[in-house]
Amino acid sequence: MNIAKRLALLIAIAMVCLLGVGSISLIQMGQINNKLTDVTGKAMPSISIIDQAAIDFYELGLMAQSHALTKQVTEKASYDKHIQELKIKLSEGLAQYQKMISDDKDKAMLEADQQSINAYLKALEPALANSRDNMNEEAAAVLTSIRPLQQTAIDALVEAAQKPGNHA
């Protein structure tokens, strides 16, 4: 075998190796792209939804406090309307998040979150009723007593948004 044939063989082997490395690289890049698509298409929106739900829930508590502090009937009506809108928005956001859940652990976490939220909303009604009747001190007392329920629900929502791997 002369030098020309050896060089041609060496170049051919190098080209085959380059094609192999290039093929493996393309396959790996495709897998990385699929994983990034999952993260940006599923995990990021679900985190955003949970974050918004936590914000809405916190705002609902602030609206309830404002409701109890005011004595103006028109302001109370405005707060009532805003509270109802926030309840609907919160419910819709959690329903949207539920569609993105891919495993039983996330489903159980969402159910626990919803139970905490429902417990708070149920306990909130007497406070709002007292406030509507201008029994603001009683309303404030109820709101103070149910504050741990609200904090538990907010903490659960924040934890759901922060735990890695909890998203579809």
Side-chain angles (χ1 to χ4, degrees):
M1 192 180 264
N2 63 13
I3 293 210
K5 287 183 181 179
R6 286 183 186 172
L7 282 174
L9 182 61
L10 183 63
I11 291 173
I13 291 173
M15 294 297 280
V16 169
C17 289
L18 283 174
L19 284 174
V21 169
S23 298
I24 291 171
S25 296
L26 284 174
I27 291 169
Q28 291 294 323
M29 287 174 54
Q31 291 174 346
I32 290 170
N33 184 41
N34 289 340
K35 289 179 182 179
L36 284 174
T37 300
D38 284 346
V39 168
T40 59
K42 295 177 184 174
M44 296 306 287
S46 67
I47 291 170
S48 176
I49 290 168
I50 288 293
D51 283 346
Q52 187 59 51
I55 291 167
D56 292 341
F57 191 68
Y58 190 71
E59 185 178 353
L60 188 134
L62 291 175
M63 290 294 108
Q65 289 286 344
S66 298
H67 192 289
L69 291 174
T70 189
K71 295 186 185 251
Q72 302 295 322
V73 175
T74 55
E75 286 183 35
K76 285 185 187 287
S78 174
Y79 289 130
D80 272 329
K81 181 181 176 192
H82 196 68
I83 288 169
Q84 291 306 317
E85 289 170 355
L86 286 169
K87 285 180 182 179
I88 292 168
K89 189 175 174 187
L90 182 62
S91 176
E92 289 172 350
L94 292 176
Q96 187 178 3
Y97 177 71
Q98 188 171 17
K99 293 176 188 174
M100 299 178 139
I101 292 177
S102 63
D103 65 11
D104 292 335
K105 184 179 177 184
D106 287 348
K107 191 172 280 192
M109 185 179 280
L110 178 63
E111 288 174 9
D113 290 350
Q114 287 178 322
Q115 288 175 354
S116 296
I117 290 168
N118 290 337
Y120 174 77
L121 294 176
K122 185 176 180 181
L124 180 64
E125 286 307 315
L128 293 175
N130 284 341
S131 179
R132 285 184 202 105
D133 294 336
N134 280 326
M135 298 169 46
N136 293 357
E137 289 179 18
E138 292 83 351
V142 172
L143 287 172
T144 300
S145 71
I146 65 172
R147 178 75 176 117
L149 287 174
Q150 181 189 26
Q151 193 59 49
T152 299
I154 288 173
D155 290 345
L157 288 170
V158 169
E159 180 182 351
Q162 291 178 346
K163 273 197 172 176
N166 276 356
H167 309 289

